[in-house]
Amino acid sequence: MTVSTAVFYLIALITVGSAAMVAFSRNIIYSAFSLLGTFMGVAGIYIFLGADFVAAVQVLIYVGGILVLILFAVMLTHRITDVEVTNRAAGRIPALIIIGVLVYLLIATIKVTPWVRAKEVVYAATTATIGDLFLYTYLLPFELASLVLLGALIGAVVLSRKEIKE
Amino acid sequence: MSPNELSSYLIISAILFSLGLFTVLTRRNAISVLMGVELILNSANINYVAFSHFSSGNADGQIYAIFVIMLAAAEAAVGLAIVLAIFQLFHTIDVEAAETLKE
């Protein structure tokens, strides 16, 4: 086993283990902090796949933005001084059966399917390629994305302001 | 399982998807449900980038992954704003409290 294989196993373990913590933890703060491990692990997987720019975006937006947002929401909606910050779950047994069957079917399909492979797998810096694609091939979706972000920004402000009762 | 096979990435992504689905199915806490949705989006992104790396050889899959990350950010902002509005109205974020969609 080479070093890179060992690192890959470690990253996979961190990703899946943290995701399991998110799914099974009783305390919502532990769940929220376990998301950190999952997001960083997924960024490591992107690096293994030669996607350096996507890995950087993952760290910036997921860890720096979404995770902080989720932590703020947790702190604003729970009394942190309470000892019991519960994260109630219902119907665990049927859900476990469903996802057990789902995982089995997915992994069986993945093993059986003959995936198409590219002739050669290249490792090169991707930032320039992605910039070109955004400004030529994907220009319209790129501009639409900025409109969606503007809409989300205004929507979040409108939803979260206090209502003034007449 | 090895870092040079497509199937190992797909298996990690399948496990992440299932854990996210489990979180969405079992939690009654609206923020936890959103965390489950984030796990599912991450698993889809791993698939995009893995196929872009092993099967197509160009960067199109990475572009889609970036679009998904962008939409996830928008979804988290609006979703958590809705959760805060529900909390101000019902003083709880149990999703069953808001099932009638009115006070």
Side-chain angles (χ1 to χ4, degrees):
Chain A
M1 193 154 86
T2 59
V3 178
S4 77
T5 314
V7 173
F8 177 73
Y9 273 103
L10 185 69
I11 287 175
L13 198 71
I14 289 173
T15 310
V16 174
S18 311
M21 273 283 283
V22 175
F24 296 107
S25 174
R26 291 193 175 281
N27 189 322
I28 191 168
I29 298 184
Y30 291 162
S31 274
F33 277 109
S34 302
L35 268 183
L36 175 69
T38 310
F39 291 158
M40 293 305 273
V42 173
I45 288 173
Y46 290 156
I47 290 174
F48 261 94
L49 289 168
D52 50 351
F53 186 73
V54 183
V57 168
Q58 165 90 6
V59 173
L60 281 178
I61 294 185
Y62 265 109
V63 180
I66 294 177
L67 189 63
V68 173
L69 211 59
I70 286 176
L71 280 173
F72 260 108
V74 170
M75 310 252 168
L76 284 174
T77 53
H78 288 79
R79 282 185 294 278
I80 296 303
T81 45
D82 286 358
V83 181
E84 191 95 337
V85 187
T86 52
N87 196 13
R88 228 148 49 90
R92 281 196 157 174
I93 309 292
L96 266 181
I97 295 170
I98 290 172
I99 70 153
V101 173
L102 186 70
V103 164
Y104 175 74
L105 285 178
L106 283 174
I107 291 181
T109 316
I110 289 166
K111 292 273 188 201
V112 167
T113 312
W115 300 106
V116 179
R117 286 203 65 150
K119 290 282 176 296
E120 53 180 326
V121 171
V122 285
Y123 290 93
T126 56
T127 313
T129 322
I130 288 175
D132 275 348
L133 279 172
F134 265 138
L135 290 182
Y136 291 106
T137 318
Y138 293 96
L139 184 59
L140 185 64
F142 184 65
E143 299 292 342
L144 276 179
S146 56
L147 270 183
V148 169
L149 280 180
L150 180 67
L153 186 72
I154 296 172
V157 170
V158 169
L159 280 171
S160 58
R161 88 207 140 124
K162 287 233 188 305
E163 243 178 76
I164 300 163
K165 294 256 163 67
E166 293 290 320
Chain B
M1 289 261 294
S2 95
N4 294 319
E5 280 173 40
L6 176 62
S7 60
S8 45
Y9 296 96
L10 298 184
I11 288 171
I12 293 174
S13 150
I15 296 172
L16 265 191
F17 174 79
S18 307
L19 287 169
L21 191 64
F22 179 84
T23 314
V24 173
L25 283 177
T26 55
R27 295 294 188 198
R28 290 182 173 171
N29 187 320
I31 297 177
S32 292
V33 175
L34 280 174
M35 290 184 204
V37 174
E38 300 297 342
L39 287 185
I40 292 176
L41 290 171
N42 265 294
S43 80
N45 265 349
I46 293 177
N47 273 4
Y48 270 132
V49 178
F51 280 120
S52 139
H53 183 63
F54 285 109
S55 295
S56 78
N58 57 32
D60 281 0
Q62 298 184 21
I63 299 275
Y64 285 110
I66 292 171
F67 275 125
V68 171
I69 290 176
M70 186 274 298
L71 284 176
E75 169 255 326
V78 176
L80 292 172
I82 292 174
V83 168
L84 287 185
I86 289 176
F87 181 72
Q88 283 173 6
L89 201 59
F90 296 105
H91 300 289
T92 174
I93 51 168
D94 198 320
V95 284
E96 287 175 6
E99 65 186 357
T100 58
L101 297 179
K102 63 182 182 188
E103 275 182 273

